[in-house]
Amino acid sequence: MCEVITIANQKGGVGKTTTAVNLAAFLATSEKRVLFIDCDPQANATTAFGIRRNEVQIDAYHVLSGSKKISQVIIRLDEIPYLDLVPANIGLAGFEKDFYSKKNNGQTMLRNKIEEVKNNYDFIIIDSPPALGALTVNALVASDSIIVPIQCEFYALEGLAQLLNTVKVIKDTSNPDLSIRGFLPTMFVSQHNLSRQVLDDLSQHFGDKLFRHTKKREEYIIVPRNVRLAESPSFGKPILFYDAKSSGSIAYQNLAEFILEGA
């Protein structure tokens, strides 16, 4: 069975793309067949896998518009044999117009396309844009579950109610099987009182939805603020292939192990 997971948060700068890219890479290196779909017009995930945006001729927009099959857009990533990519570029922003012209049918466009290849993969990871617009709605309608990165900084929980309401609406209308896999604290600095306070708040409100270490159940999986993790996209590499021993890499390895344990 293939699990489709969307990484989503309408706030920007929370580690959403970092989480999507590195979770996919670790799942693939565990010899799970993974398809990564970049649904963000900024195409940061595409760049993080070493693909130059201006060299992408066909991308996720062509899939969603119906001009290409998803199998025609997939890029094979030689450095990560089990990982395939549906890239993005800025043209994907044009999907908003297509979505509203199709009214309710527009919500299922990505889900319908994924069905063409779903049996070829163990996991499909979708990186959504930092907004609750047409692309994010399509991603959630197509998904089995959602992972929500939340930065351990001021205003961390701001807007979260809106995201949770969107998930509820989609469950009630288009995708009753959608579930929240969990909330992932990111950019954590142990020396900062604010980071610890945000983690405490998350634990109080969503303790049963925070990821836990597979071997140390009493500990939450937390992504620290890590220079090597921030550097790796500029080299076109997931953290595993840039600095596998860094604290950021270890955090995402722990997250992948959690996901695999429940697969």
Side-chain angles (χ1 to χ4, degrees):
M1 291 284 293
C2 175
E3 181 177 0
V4 183
I5 305 173
T6 285
I7 316 300
N9 190 326
Q10 76 269 29
K11 281 178 63 65
V14 302
K16 178 181 57 60
T17 296
T18 299
T19 296
V21 166
N22 289 295
L23 173 60
F26 272 107
L27 291 173
T29 54
S30 298
E31 298 189 352
K32 297 298 180 181
R33 299 166 300 168
V34 181
L35 176 64
F36 190 104
I37 302 177
D38 191 349
C39 273
D40 187 346
Q42 298 177 82
N44 290 331
T46 297
T47 301
F49 284 119
I51 307 297
R52 294 182 179 179
R53 285 171 285 195
N54 58 357
E55 295 179 355
V56 173
Q57 300 299 316
I58 53 175
D59 67 314
Y61 175 75
H62 296 87
V63 175
L64 290 167
S65 67
S67 64
K68 296 290 183 182
K69 292 184 177 180
I70 196 167
S71 58
Q72 295 175 295
V73 177
I74 287 173
I75 295 174
R76 312 289 179 186
L77 298 175
D78 294 335
E79 288 191 10
I80 316 176
Y82 285 84
L83 180 58
D84 294 340
L85 170 68
V86 174
N89 67 22
I90 191 60
L92 184 56
F95 177 68
E96 292 282 338
K97 181 179 178 181
D98 296 347
F99 175 82
Y100 291 109
S101 68
K102 293 180 182 295
K103 298 183 179 180
N104 291 337
N105 291 334
Q107 293 188 1
T108 61
M109 293 172 73
L110 182 58
R111 181 169 67 187
N112 294 340
K113 295 298 181 179
I114 284 176
E115 287 298 325
E116 299 172 11
V117 297
K118 195 171 182 179
N119 291 337
N120 299 333
Y121 297 97
D122 298 303
F123 292 95
I124 296 176
I125 305 297
I126 305 174
D127 185 30
S128 62
L132 294 178
L135 288 165
T136 299
V137 168
N138 255 260
L140 294 177
V141 170
S143 296
D144 299 302
S145 62
I146 174 177
I147 292 175
V148 184
I150 300 178
Q151 84 279 30
C152 295
E153 296 179 356
F154 198 54
Y155 294 136
L157 303 182
E158 186 180 74
L160 188 56
Q162 187 180 0
L163 174 61
L164 296 178
N165 184 62
T166 299
V167 171
K168 181 180 184 301
V169 169
I170 289 174
K171 283 175 63 69
D172 291 343
T173 56
S174 306
N175 185 4
D177 296 324
L178 179 64
S179 65
I180 296 177
R181 259 289 197 159
F183 299 91
L184 180 68
T186 61
M187 305 179 191
F188 182 84
V189 181
S190 59
Q191 297 90 343
H192 291 180
N193 290 335
L194 181 57
S195 282
R196 295 195 297 270
Q197 182 59 56
V198 171
L199 183 59
D200 287 344
D201 290 344
L202 287 171
S203 177
Q204 289 178 23
H205 291 92
F206 307 109
D208 60 332
K209 285 294 184 180
L210 294 178
F211 298 102
R212 293 181 181 270
H213 287 266
T214 55
K215 299 180 179 64
K216 302 177 182 177
R217 291 294 183 179
E218 71 281 2
E219 294 184 15
Y220 295 126
I221 296 173
I222 300 165
V223 180
R225 186 175 288 279
N226 178 241
V227 172
R228 304 296 279 176
L229 193 59
E231 290 175 345
S232 61
S234 65
F235 290 87
K237 295 180 179 181
I239 188 62
L240 172 63
F241 299 98
Y242 182 64
D243 188 348
K245 295 182 179 180
S246 67
S247 58
S249 181
I250 292 169
Y252 282 114
Q253 180 179 1
N254 290 333
L255 177 63
E257 288 175 356
F258 183 98
I259 298 297
L260 289 170
E261 185 181 64

